[in-house]
Amino acid sequence: MNTLSDESITALERAAGECDAARADLEDALDAAEGAGGHRPDDDHLEAVADALRRWQEAQEAFMEAVAESEVPDPSMAAMLLMRTADVDTSNARMGLPGAHVDGADQPFELDMTGSRGQALTTAAMDYL
């Protein structure tokens, strides 16, 4: 049975936490863009969305690097072991992001992308990343 070293657990936990924080920031940025009153989100809104996506992508890359440096063969095994040993959910670390691909991050993207939120996300991913 594969196990995770304390060093691997720490690195995976840190990266998963950074993914969670970036997702929360992305949700806030999308909410702010949606609150623009039906108008096209301005550059400040789009830059905030793109920044959150970029930080999420970087944290996912750090997670995948930690998986590669650990004793486990793939992200799904690392996620299972991390959940079991440290009760850490790695969903955001494994979620595929539009416009910000990371190898190994292949779980469904589960954010509300309707209306102006979707427009802001799409525009930020295409024009600002």
Side-chain angles (χ1 to χ4, degrees):
M1 177 83 183
N2 290 325
T3 60
L4 293 170
S5 68
D6 289 343
E7 183 179 284
S8 291
I9 290 171
T10 299
L12 291 165
E13 278 183 307
R14 184 181 322 113
E18 290 171 5
C19 287
D20 293 345
R23 179 191 176 130
D25 290 347
L26 178 60
E27 292 276 9
D28 290 345
L30 290 172
D31 288 345
E34 185 176 41
H39 302 292
R40 183 184 185 278
D42 63 25
D43 286 339
D44 289 340
H45 290 121
L46 296 173
E47 287 174 9
V49 170
D51 180 59
L53 277 173
R54 188 176 304 108
R55 288 186 304 105
W56 195 349
Q57 179 184 31
E58 289 168 358
Q60 284 183 327
E61 289 169 346
F63 181 85
M64 297 308 166
E65 286 175 23
V67 169
E69 292 173 5
S70 73
E71 305 80 34
V72 297
D74 58 43
S76 62
M77 177 66 78
M80 181 193 72
L81 291 170
L82 194 59
M83 177 59 85
R84 197 171 73 209
T85 60
D87 197 30
V88 173
D89 179 7
T90 62
S91 298
N92 291 322
R94 300 178 59 220
M95 189 179 294
L97 302 178
H101 176 74
V102 173
D103 285 340
D106 56 4
Q107 299 302 302
F109 184 70
E110 297 176 347
L111 287 179
D112 176 11
M113 291 182 35
T114 60
S116 56
R117 288 173 60 93
Q119 179 187 10
L121 184 69
T122 302
T123 303
M126 290 175 44
D127 296 346
Y128 289 79
L129 281 182

